[in-house]
Amino acid sequence: AQTVTQSQPEMSVQEAETVTLSCTYDTSESNYYLFWYKQPPSRQMILVIRQEAYKQQNATENRFSVNFQKAAKSFSLKISDSQLGDTAMYFCAFTLAYNQGGKLIFGQGTELSVKP
Amino acid sequence: GAVVSQHPSRVICKSGTSVKIECRSLDFQATTMFWYRQFPKQSLMLMATSNEGSKATYEQGVEKDKFLINHASLTLSTLTVTSAHPEDSSFYICSAPLAGDTDTQYFGPGTRLTVL
C-alpha cells in the first residue's frame, strides 16, 4: 500500500522569503504521479504543481518548484518570494496511473503561515 | 477549464433526514469522480469512487448504505447521506480527473454538512 507523510504540521515564513515543505512517500510501483495541493481558508483545493515519476527534471511553476528524489522517495516543495496569499494548508499527494485506479493518497498536511 | 462545482455549499439538517450533495464537472466529462470527507485541520479521506454507469467503489470502513452514490451522467455525481446523524457532520469534497490529463484531479469547492 502507498503512504504519504508530511512531518511538518505547521510552518511559518516571512513575506518575500523562501520556505521548503517536506514530503516523503512509500510505494513499490515505478509509474506514479506526485502533486502539491493548496487549501486556503476558503477550503477550495488548488493544484500547485505536479511531477511525473518518470521525469527526472524537477517541475516548476513560477515561484513554486519541487525537489523530486525518486530513490529517496522524497518530494519537497519550495516556495520562493513568499506572499501573504500563500498562507494555506498544503497537501502532498500521490497517485498511481489513472488506469490503475487514479486514487489520490494525501499526506497529513502542512499549515503554512506567511507573516508580513 | 477543468471546473468542478458542488451544490449546496453548506447545508444544515435535522438528525434522521437525508441530504443530497451534487458534484458537477462544468466544462469536461468525467467517467469517474471521487468523494472525500475532511474534518477540521485534517487531511482528506477518500470515501468512494463514483463510476458513470456502474456501481460506486467504497473504501474500507465506509458504509455504502449510509453514503449512497449515483453517477447519473458524464458530468454529474451525487452523494446522499441517508438518515444523517451529528457524527456525519463534516466537509465533503468531490474531485474529477480531466480526460487527456487523467492523472490530475480537479476539486469542487466542498459542502459543509451540519447535522443537528
Side-chain angles (χ1 to χ4, degrees), chain A residues 35-81:
Chain A
F35 305 87
W36 280 97
Y37 282 92
K38 167 185 177 180
Q39 188 179 42
S42 68
R43 302 191 78 171
Q44 170 74 60
M45 294 287 284
I46 301 167
L47 176 66
V48 175
I49 200 165
R50 86 173 224 174
Q51 175 80 43
E52 293 89 341
Y54 61 86
K55 290 187 177 178
Q56 292 187 342
Q57 187 173 7
N58 289 324
T60 62
E61 284 290 341
N62 301 313
R63 298 183 295 108
F64 299 89
S65 61
V66 297
N67 183 5
F68 174 46
Q69 301 290 327
K70 191 171 183 179
K73 296 180 182 174
S74 170
F75 183 62
S76 61
L77 174 69
K78 185 171 83 171
I79 306 174
S80 304
D81 186 25

Side-chain angles (χ1 to χ4, degrees), chain A residues 33 35 37 39 42-47 50 89 91 95-99 101-104 106-109 111, chain B residues 31-32 34 36 38-44 46 49 59 91 93 97 101-109 112:
Chain A
Y33 301 82
F35 305 87
Y37 282 92
Q39 188 179 42
S42 68
R43 302 191 78 171
Q44 170 74 60
M45 294 287 284
I46 301 167
L47 176 66
R50 86 173 224 174
M89 182 74 86
F91 292 101
T95 189
L96 296 175
Y98 182 70
N99 58 9
K103 298 178 187 178
L104 270 176
F106 287 93
Q108 302 91 325
E111 188 168 14
Chain B
T31 56
T32 300
F34 298 90
Y36 300 84
Q38 186 182 31
F39 292 105
K41 299 287 189 179
Q42 293 189 22
S43 190
L44 282 72
L46 179 65
T49 303
E59 294 301 301
F91 193 67
I93 309 174
D101 183 17
T102 52
D103 300 296
T104 299
Q105 293 186 30
Y106 297 88
F107 286 81
R112 182 183 301 278

Side-chain angles (χ1 to χ4, degrees), chain B:
Chain B
V3 178
V4 177
S5 71
Q6 276 183 248
H7 178 80
S9 58
R10 54 174 56 199
V11 56
I12 301 173
C13 70
K14 293 182 178 180
S15 186
T17 61
S18 294
V19 174
K20 181 184 286 187
I21 302 170
E22 293 185 346
C23 177
R24 292 182 186 273
S25 53
L26 296 185
D27 51 1
F28 66 101
Q29 293 182 333
T31 56
T32 300
M33 292 183 175
F34 298 90
W35 286 96
Y36 300 84
R37 184 172 181 177
Q38 186 182 31
F39 292 105
K41 299 287 189 179
Q42 293 189 22
S43 190
L44 282 72
M45 181 191 78
L46 179 65
M47 298 175 65
T49 303
S50 174
N51 304 298
E52 190 269 336
S54 65
K55 290 183 180 180
T57 305
Y58 291 83
E59 294 301 301
Q60 192 172 9
V62 177
E63 299 175 60
K64 61 181 180 182
D65 295 329
K66 173 77 169 173
F67 299 100
L68 299 180
I69 291 173
N70 182 30
H71 200 132
S73 73
L74 288 171
T75 59
L76 173 64
S77 174
T78 59
L79 168 68
T80 301
V81 183
T82 62
S83 186
H85 291 283
E87 57 266 31
D88 298 325
S89 298
S90 191
F91 193 67
Y92 293 87
I93 309 174
C94 70
S95 72
L98 176 63
D101 183 17
T102 52
D103 300 296
T104 299
Q105 293 186 30
Y106 297 88
F107 286 81
T111 297
R112 182 183 301 278
L113 170 64
T114 303
V115 185
L116 302 176

